[in-house]
Amino acid sequence: MLLAQLLDRAGTGVWAAACVLYFTFVIGLDAGQVGLLLGASGVAGIAGSPLAGHLADRFPVRSLLIGAHLLRLGTLCLMLVVTDFALLLLVVAVTHLGDRGAKTLEMLFATRVAGDRRATYQALSRSSANAGYALGAGLAAIGLAVGTRGAYQVLILADALSFLVVAALVWRTKEPRGRGLVVPPAGPAEAAGPAEAAGPAGPADGTGPAAAAAPAGRGPWRDRGYLRFVLLDIPMHLDDSILGIGIPLWLVGRTEAPHELIPAFLVVNTVLVVLLQLQVSARVETARQAAGAVALYGVATFACCALLAGAGAGGVWGASAALLAAAVLATAAELVRSVSSWELAVRLAPKEARASYLGVAGMAQSVQKSAGPLLLTGVVMAAGPAGWLALGTAVAGLSLVQRRSSLRRLDRLERLERTPPVPAASG
């Protein structure tokens, strides 16, 4: 699975680096059409996670994952021949739908295969994914340097080929019996998660035990406690947009730092994730530790935003140092989030419907990818340094809310486990 992830992300890195130029110089779209194309694909991607989770509760995850990869293979091949904008809009939207669905199914499948080594797998997954993105970006740079129509088409075929190889690797990976996700029993210090919780319904506010151990027939869309977790998890993914969009645009528009510094942000991110993800994951092994780590995410994000707010007043060297330090802090936030977010999503979901719940949880990242760039460019950076300070303060405050909400839910689950079941009344 790790090799499959590396190849998947390498192909995705190729496409991410080349798609805008392909649409502009090969297809001939203007900037407005490209923006609409990518915006619509982002919206379609939001639906991919819950759809994948819904299907995973009913069909084998491995078969669905192979199908998602083959869907992406087909739509990328169609891009080589489709030039009509309306058809291209549909093809790109379906591609991103399959992309987000594949990533959710990939994590569902990997969670089952990894079992009680889920945290370690998540760390290795992040490392291989970042290495794959870097490899893909490097391959794309070669094609972009050539710059011909044929070179762009070779890049698309390379991405499509990666999905074919990944589908074959998934097909060779054995899937554990049963469709439900396997989560190891939690110890007392971990405040056992909902996979082991069972008992009578709690308060009707959607935050009690009933919300965590949803009764039969109750789905994630009716579980207000879990939806609150997903909603609060959206700003806990903003590090992605800050690193990829916010820091480079702030460098160009508001600081005296050299533009040649921009590639260094990706290098810093990739190297630190590869070197440190396992160590960070080793410190976040339980649901309570994951909830506590959310607060660290808020601290790292606030510090990152504070550095960006002051970067414009530091001259060339001061701005360069502040921006590089901000990239390090954004990466630190990513390291924490990549472990805590998924661990809490698993532990706070009921065992009997975990796939559909995790599908909904996957929407947090998709929504951030669509709304995050707009938030940064249209609100935060438009407000100047004060915008960065406001963003950092908001994320730090919401991280504390998320931490408290998750711990209270875990406390209720722990009390529920200690409460003996009420015997049924005799007739």
Side-chain angles (χ1 to χ4, degrees):
M1 280 300 295
L2 291 174
L3 176 59
Q5 274 195 315
L6 186 145
L7 293 176
D8 184 326
R9 300 309 188 270
T12 302
V14 168
W15 175 245
C19 65
V20 172
L21 296 179
Y22 175 78
F23 292 141
T24 302
F25 296 117
V26 177
I27 303 298
L29 303 182
D30 58 37
Q33 288 176 314
V34 173
L36 178 60
L37 200 66
L38 298 179
S41 66
V43 173
I46 294 174
S49 294
L51 177 61
H54 177 76
L55 293 174
D57 270 337
R58 292 157 176 78
F59 303 100
V61 175
R62 184 174 68 167
S63 300
L64 291 172
L65 181 54
I66 293 172
H69 289 315
L70 294 180
L71 174 65
R72 299 154 83 194
L73 167 66
T75 54
L76 276 175
C77 291
L78 283 176
M79 286 189 200
L80 294 172
V81 296
V82 172
T83 57
D84 179 74
F85 178 72
L87 289 177
L88 194 61
L89 190 67
L90 176 63
V91 171
V92 173
V94 174
T95 301
H96 279 256
L97 180 74
D99 180 70
R100 293 308 309 166
K103 284 181 170 56
T104 297
L105 292 167
E106 180 183 78
M107 290 308 301
L108 292 173
F109 186 61
T111 300
R112 296 185 58 189
V113 173
D116 59 358
R117 301 173 65 189
R118 184 173 62 255
T120 301
Y121 174 84
Q122 180 74 350
L124 294 171
S125 169
R126 291 295 304 171
S127 299
S128 64
N130 276 270
Y133 281 128
L135 174 62
L139 293 174
I142 299 174
L144 296 179
V146 176
T148 63
R149 181 186 184 92
Y152 283 107
Q153 290 175 333
V154 168
L155 292 178
I156 293 178
L157 286 174
D159 189 13
L161 178 62
S162 73
F163 296 144
L164 181 62
V165 175
V166 169
L169 290 174
V170 173
W171 179 73
R172 294 182 59 186
T173 305
K174 293 183 179 181
E175 181 177 6
R177 288 187 175 184
R179 294 176 185 165
L181 294 179
V182 178
V183 175
E190 184 175 344
E196 296 77 43
D205 62 357
T207 61
R218 183 174 184 175
W221 297 107
R222 298 177 60 191
D223 188 340
R224 286 181 291 174
Y226 198 82
L227 290 178
R228 183 184 298 111
F229 161 76
V230 175
L231 182 63
L232 289 170
D233 203 39
I234 294 173
M236 302 302 116
H237 285 77
L238 276 171
D239 60 275
D240 180 60
S241 292
I242 291 174
L243 183 65
I245 297 172
I247 297 179
L249 289 181
W250 193 251
L251 179 151
V252 172
R254 294 297 190 100
T255 75
E256 299 178 16
H259 295 184
E260 291 79 9
L261 189 64
I262 292 178
F265 302 144
L266 177 61
V267 173
V268 167
N269 176 262
T270 302
V271 171
L272 289 180
V273 169
V274 171
L275 292 178
L276 300 178
Q277 188 68 80
L278 274 173
Q279 289 88 329
V280 173
S281 299
R283 298 177 180 272
V284 184
E285 296 181 339
T286 69
R288 287 190 175 278
Q289 290 173 339
V294 175
L296 296 178
Y297 180 92
V299 172
T301 303
F302 176 81
C304 172
C305 292
L307 283 171
L308 291 173
V316 175
W317 291 104
S320 299
L323 291 169
L324 285 171
V328 171
L329 287 167
T331 302
E334 177 190 344
L335 289 168
V336 174
R337 180 259 300 167
S338 63
V339 178
S340 62
S341 179
W342 186 256
E343 181 67 21
L344 288 174
V346 172
R347 287 296 184 184
L348 299 180
K351 179 177 61 176
E352 64 275 11
R354 184 160 285 127
S356 60
Y357 270 68
L358 294 181
V360 173
M363 290 180 63
Q365 186 175 10
S366 300
V367 171
Q368 188 284 137
K369 284 184 176 294
S370 296
L374 298 176
L375 172 67
L376 292 182
T377 57
V379 179
V380 174
M381 287 187 281
W388 284 114
L389 291 175
L391 177 67
T393 302
V395 172
L398 290 173
S399 71
L400 295 177
V401 175
Q402 178 76 306
R403 174 183 177 276
R404 181 182 180 187
S405 176
S406 299
L407 288 174
R408 290 177 65 182
R409 188 171 172 108
L410 290 170
D411 286 340
R412 291 190 180 97
L413 290 168
E414 190 177 30
R415 289 196 299 269
L416 180 62
E417 277 211 334
R418 290 198 300 260
T419 302
V422 179
S426 56

